[in-house]
Amino acid sequence: MNMVYCRGCGQSIHETAVSCPHCGAQQAGPATVGLKSQTVAALLAAFLGGFGAHRFYLGKIPSGVLYLLFSWTGLPTLIAFVEMFFLVFMRPERWAQQYNNGRLSAPVPSWLKALVVLSAVFLLISFFAGVTGVLMPAYQDYTLTVPAGKVYY
């Protein structure tokens, strides 16, 4: 029987222990090694999604290569923005089944969920600000230059 030391309190525990029986600290062992994190995948989608980094992380190499090849178009960035929502708000059980062979990993922190929602709100506000700031004055200029009652074909 091999004993190791707890990462939290330093007490000796069995090497296969997932958590310390003395202090409850999680241990890096066979149960936690190799798990894919929802948080890491979402952050990769947010910051490097246009290059397919989150796809490579999740083991979806062919689609990651496609993201990389078409990154110059900007379309993968928009798709990764939408995928970021799916990654953050996916149920932990479904995540475990799809990416971790049924093993649960750490949940997505609430600050990241709030940040994703705020980014969507910011995107909508900036879109509507652009519409009202650019398109509305252009339309008003158009209506001032076309005399009333005249129809141009």
Side-chain angles (χ1 to χ4, degrees):
M1 178 173 9
N2 292 334
M3 301 299 275
V4 294
Y5 295 100
C6 172
R7 296 171 53 189
C9 66
Q11 296 288 327
S12 75
I13 58 174
H14 192 268
E15 68 179 349
T16 60
V18 176
S19 64
C20 176
H22 305 286
C23 68
Q26 295 291 323
Q27 305 299 309
T32 58
V33 173
L35 292 181
K36 300 220 184 299
S37 169
Q38 272 183 279
T39 305
V40 171
L43 290 173
L44 285 173
F47 294 109
L48 297 172
F51 301 108
H54 64 295
R55 294 301 212 162
F56 289 113
Y57 175 72
L58 295 174
K60 298 182 176 184
I61 306 301
S63 62
V65 170
L66 284 175
Y67 275 58
L68 199 53
L69 289 175
F70 290 99
S71 62
W72 62 274
T73 65
L75 188 60
T77 304
L78 293 175
I79 296 170
F81 186 76
V82 173
E83 285 180 330
M84 177 182 59
F85 285 94
F86 290 116
L87 292 171
V88 167
F89 293 107
M90 183 184 287
R91 289 184 337 213
E93 297 83 18
R94 183 167 177 226
W95 176 267
Q97 201 65 16
Q98 193 166 355
Y99 296 108
N100 289 332
N101 295 325
R103 295 183 297 167
L104 289 173
S105 61
V108 177
S110 57
W111 62 266
L112 184 58
K113 291 181 180 182
L115 194 63
V116 167
V117 170
L118 285 174
S119 69
V121 169
F122 179 74
L123 183 69
L124 287 173
I125 289 172
S126 61
F127 173 75
F128 288 122
V131 167
T132 58
V134 174
L135 296 181
M136 292 303 288
Y139 176 73
Q140 289 171 348
D141 289 345
Y142 168 75
T143 57
L144 291 176
T145 57
V146 176
K150 292 218 175 191
V151 178
Y152 295 100
Y153 293 101

